Amino acid sequence: MSTARPVPQPARVTTRLTPDLGQNIRWASTNSGAPIATNTTERIQRLRELMQSPQYGVTAFVIPSEDAHQSEYVAECDERRAYISGFTGSAGVAIVSLDSAALFTDGRYFLQASQQLDSNWTLMKFGLPDVPTWQEYLVKNLPAGSRIGIDPLAFTASDANKLEKELSKVGSSLVSVPNLIDLIWSDRPSRPARPLMTLSTTTTGKSHLTKIQELRRALAAKKDVAGCVVSGLDEIAWLFNMRGSDVHCNPVFFAYAIITPNDVQLYLQQESISKAVKDHLGSAVQIKPYDAIYEDLKTLSETLQGTRQKILLGTRSNLALSVALGKGKVVEGRSPVTDAKAIKNETELNGMRRCHLRDAAAVINYFAWLEEELTKGRTLDEADGAERLQRFRAEQSGFVGPSFDTISSTGPNGAIIHYKPEKPTAARIDSSLVYLCDSGAQYLDGTTDITRTLHFQTPTAHEKRCFTRVLQGHIAIDSTIFPQGTTGYLLDILSRRALWSDGLDFRHGTGHGVGAFLNVHEGPQGCGPRPAYNEVALVPGMTLTNEPGYYEDGQFGIRIENVLVVRKVETRHQFGGKEYYGFEHITFVPIQSKMIERSLLSQAEVDWINRYHAECLEKVTPYMEKDSPGLRWLQREAIAI
């Protein structure tokens, strides 16, 4: 996911929230828009000198992508893996030993990583045959008796414990050290502490006090649990009905919280606290300094000595939090806040529905503008497109900023799944090539994420066939009905069946949850081949993207993405006394008909497309200007096939 520089935010937003959701680390690229490698020789040399120093004495140092809150997208000051390796994708683990450096990432980033890593690095394509996990690499590829250094703030307790057990089998050990990257990163940005905004129940549907009461009831139902630590930034933002802008494109802020039956402690950076925040939280919430949580957990643990009571730490909590509480006073489990946040109430769902209609108008206006400009022969690059799309979104009410960096990609760049165009080297948008645009926005009433793949001239027969196979997978997910208890792991095959019939596939999940004016990637639900997606059943109120794709390196990328809401459906029978569920799509932008090979479609699939286009026309027309290019584009593209 990528974008150009964000346009200035509308005055109606800047008065309420510092709009720095568009900050990001820049990356170099070639004239074709493809990224080029960063020279990491000096950085690795300085790191190895530190590793060998008597103070630390480690054989290898592990640098994950996450921050102390296990965030997927992190602030610039926490982009340590990007700094040491040059690879800027959102997922990956770097391992630097005294004589080697390896970067592990998944299929979304194989192409990008191969272009961004210099000769110091070996790319380990996780998920391919004979490629070890990074944990296996530490055990099998490093000498027995190695000391593996980690920053306890950047690892979960469960991951660290599992790794330590495996390392012990070969006589190696896990060593907690300060983050060595911070010690060599001379111009590391400071941690942001931007002003916070508060949300009313007209947006959230529940007050923060009600949410805390519900959390306490959930904790009371667990045996010997005296409270919990909330460390996920999106969990804290949701629980306390506040938003921030400390992390690029994610309306969150740096904080921790401790919830017990009698106390609520919220740990914030002092610079971000205002009178409005204090008034919003009220006397029931005690505000403390951000870094004070570790000492407070030690004190809390001492008060529990001699009892069977423990503190619940979410499975994504960092190792340092667990160490502060001490062994015997921690119980690990999925955070109940994560589960509660994932199931949207009607107020949140209605906000999501409304903002998706406004967002559809912006995206349609952009596609109409882009088509018109290219037809006139104007030269535009991918970054120009991303900037113009954001300007169209900024015209919509409630717009705050992008929900991720816009992927505006032409031809071969579309095959880089999370591509990031930047001026002055972004590629020119070529009307004779496939154009993939994956983008989204944060609005005060919801979060959007949409992908459309277009062609502005005549697609080849192969491109149309690939596109249609992707579309068939998209329709299969959208149309399915499934029994209570079904997971996204079980549904994933539906998005791939048509592609598999042609011997094609894609190396990413079919879908992820989406927050309500929160992170565009939200768990615990998802749809994909990862075993974790089999742990959580889909239930009404959850959101899920539907985004199968297909990518040919050096040629093109195809993806079609809508946001769905899980809903209850009425069926003729209810086998086993179970409820049955389906999906409601809330994204309404036509799917380009010139890219469809109709002969591959069943009548049911043709009917789905025609119904969907009729919905787009009906629902989005009221948001379009009369006689505008956008309205004409909508009317043309929404015709029956």
Side-chain angles (χ1 to χ4, degrees), residues 131-145:
V131 176
T133 65
W134 64 266
Q135 296 94 333
E136 292 169 339
Y137 178 89
L138 290 172
V139 174
K140 298 176 181 178
N141 288 60
L142 296 183

Side-chain angles (χ1 to χ4, degrees), residues 216-475:
R216 282 173 166 157
R217 285 196 290 269
L219 294 173
K222 298 179 182 294
K223 186 178 179 181
D224 297 331
V225 171
C228 74
V229 176
V230 186
S231 61
L233 300 186
D234 60 336
E235 294 180 26
I236 294 169
W238 177 87
L239 183 62
F240 290 96
N241 287 349
M242 299 197 301
R243 299 294 187 267
S245 56
D246 285 349
V247 178
H248 171 51
C249 293
N250 296 267
V252 297
F253 50 92
F254 286 102
Y256 295 98
I258 300 176
I259 312 294
T260 65
N262 300 315
D263 297 300
V264 179
Q265 296 171 320
L266 179 60
Y267 297 81
L268 297 171
Q269 298 186 97
Q270 294 299 308
E271 302 91 328
S272 65
I273 302 169
S274 65
K275 182 179 182 301
V277 168
K278 293 179 181 178
D279 291 344
H280 167 77
L281 293 172
S283 59
V285 179
Q286 183 180 6
I287 301 175
K288 290 194 167 185
Y290 173 70
D291 293 321
I293 186 169
Y294 296 97
E295 287 302 318
D296 282 3
L297 285 177
K298 292 178 182 177
T299 302
L300 177 59
S301 179
E302 291 171 0
T303 66
L304 298 177
Q305 295 302 318
T307 74
R308 299 175 63 181
Q309 297 287 291
K310 299 179 180 181
I311 299 298
L312 175 65
L313 283 184
T315 52
R316 301 292 293 168
S317 298
N318 71 52
L319 175 60
L321 293 170
S322 180
V323 171
L325 281 167
K327 289 184 177 179
K329 288 305 171 187
V330 174
V331 57
E332 284 192 13
R334 194 167 67 241
S335 169
V337 179
T338 293
D339 291 347
K341 175 173 57 64
I343 303 173
K344 310 291 185 288
N345 59 49
E346 277 305 308
T347 300
E348 293 172 314
L349 290 176
N350 286 333
M352 291 286 280
R353 292 180 182 110
R354 289 192 302 268
C355 77
H356 273 79
L357 293 175
R358 301 195 304 275
D359 196 67
V363 173
I364 289 168
N365 282 333
Y366 168 64
F367 288 155
W369 171 85
L370 181 59
E371 181 180 85
E372 188 174 271
E373 293 299 299
L374 293 176
T375 301
K376 291 177 181 176
R378 184 180 171 193
T379 299
L380 298 167
D381 65 37
E382 297 157 323
D384 292 328
E387 289 175 0
R388 189 66 182 94
L389 173 54
Q390 187 152 309
R391 285 166 56 194
F392 278 119
R393 282 194 163 111
E395 295 170 0
Q396 302 298 321
S397 63
F399 175 78
V400 177
S403 58
F404 58 92
D405 293 330
T406 295
I407 302 170
S408 169
S409 54
T410 185
N413 291 336
I416 304 174
I417 297 172
H418 282 179
Y419 174 64
K420 206 173 189 182
E422 297 282 45
K423 279 188 173 293
T425 53
R428 177 180 64 84
I429 298 176
D430 188 336
S431 63
S432 68
L433 301 177
V434 174
Y435 177 71
L436 186 154
C437 184
D438 185 348
S439 66
Q442 299 287 1
Y443 296 92
L444 295 174
D445 50 354
T447 303
T448 68
D449 185 359
I450 174 176
T451 308
R452 289 295 182 266
T453 305
L454 307 173
H455 204 294
F456 299 105
Q457 291 188 28
T458 304
T460 67
H462 177 60
E463 290 166 345
K464 291 177 65 174
R465 187 178 185 94
C466 294
F467 181 93
T468 305
R469 291 308 192 196
V470 171
L471 175 57
Q472 288 175 300
H474 180 95
I475 294 171

Side-chain angles (χ1 to χ4, degrees), residues 170-189:
V170 295
S172 295
S173 59
L174 203 60
V175 182
S176 290
V177 297
N179 201 299
L180 302 184
I181 302 301
D182 294 354
L183 301 182
I184 65 168
W185 192 352
S186 58
D187 57 349
R188 178 173 173 244

